[in-house]
Each structure stands twice: as C-alpha cells, then as structure tokens.
Amino acid sequence: MKLLVIDAQGGGMGKQLVSAIKKEFPLAEITAVGTNSLATSNMLKAGADHAATGENAVVVGCRRAEVIIGPVGIVIADSMYGEITPRMAEAVGQSEAKKFLLPMSHCNNTIVGVGNTSMGFLMASVIEELIQYFHC
C-alpha cells in the first residue's frame, strides 16, 4: 500500500495524518510531500517512510501513489496562500490514485455544507475510509 500525504503551511494536518495512518497501518509505505520544508519535516517526524518538498515532488509522488491524502486545497490551484501551484493541483487531479480529501475551508475556498469539524473527527474519518478501501 503506497500512500502519498500532501500538506502545506506548517504541515500540522499532514503530521496528524501520517501518525494516525501509521498507527492503524504500520506496514503502509507513506511518502510525505510538503509544499515547504517545515511541512515536510513535521510529516517526517510523525513517521513517514519517505519525504520530499516542492512542486516536482508532488508531481512525481502523484504518479507513484495508490492513495493520495490531504486537504481539499491540494486540488485547487493557488490555494493554501499560493503554496499549491497549478501544476500540483493538476497532478493530483489527474492522478489515477484514490483520493481522500479533507474538507478545510480557508483561503477564500469554502466547502459548503460542511460544518466546522474537529481535526480528531477528520483523522478518524480518514482512517475509517482507508480501512473500507483496503478491505474491500
């Protein structure tokens, strides 16, 4: 199972994702890609098996992953305060990998119909979706 976790800014969400996934799926191969070195470093500290930073790392990672996980902003060009480039958003969107996108409303992108959900709930939801996906 090859998972790609993508995060930006401080990598806080990515760090929690990597930690939660490793706890439930200790043998999963997780590649963490941050849009900046701080995000990458935090995900690596959480237990990612591989890590890289930047636009090309996202593009290459999307070609190799079976599953891509991250905030919904990873499919919106110029989101996350401009950290998601059009090329990154295109690579995620065109990837054949299964995508699990967490509904984060910020940076002028509002996910309508989604309430202010706690990070704990989102992490539990991702793990449940992964369990369903890999046990089908």
Side-chain angles (χ1 to χ4, degrees):
M1 152 176 20
K2 293 184 179 187
L3 289 88
L4 174 64
V5 177
I6 303 172
D7 202 4
Q9 300 171 319
M13 175 188 285
K15 181 178 180 177
Q16 290 181 54
L17 282 167
V18 169
S19 180
I21 294 165
K22 276 296 186 181
K23 183 177 177 182
E24 185 68 33
F25 301 96
L27 299 179
E29 182 182 336
I30 300 176
T31 299
V33 176
T35 60
N36 60 66
S37 59
L38 179 60
T40 304
S41 175
N42 281 330
M43 291 187 285
L44 193 56
K45 288 176 189 173
D49 299 291
H50 314 284
T53 302
E55 180 181 76
N56 198 59
V58 170
V59 172
V60 171
C62 286
R63 287 196 304 251
R64 297 180 178 166
E66 293 175 60
V67 173
I68 299 171
I69 306 170
V72 70
I74 65 175
V75 296
I76 302 171
D78 299 330
S79 69
M80 303 175 105
Y81 298 106
E83 290 188 52
I84 302 299
T85 68
R87 190 169 172 228
M88 289 172 168
E90 179 179 48
V92 174
Q94 290 182 344
S95 174
E96 291 187 19
K98 175 75 173 173
K99 296 160 198 78
F100 294 98
L101 304 173
L102 286 81
M104 304 302 294
S105 294
H106 63 282
C107 305
N108 291 330
N109 295 301
T110 301
I111 311 303
V112 177
V114 176
N116 189 8
T117 307
S118 74
M119 191 62 68
F121 177 79
L122 291 174
M123 295 303 119
S125 296
V126 166
I127 296 303
E128 182 58 35
E129 291 290 335
L130 284 169
I131 290 169
Q132 294 297 321
Y133 180 72
F134 285 111
H135 293 314
C136 288

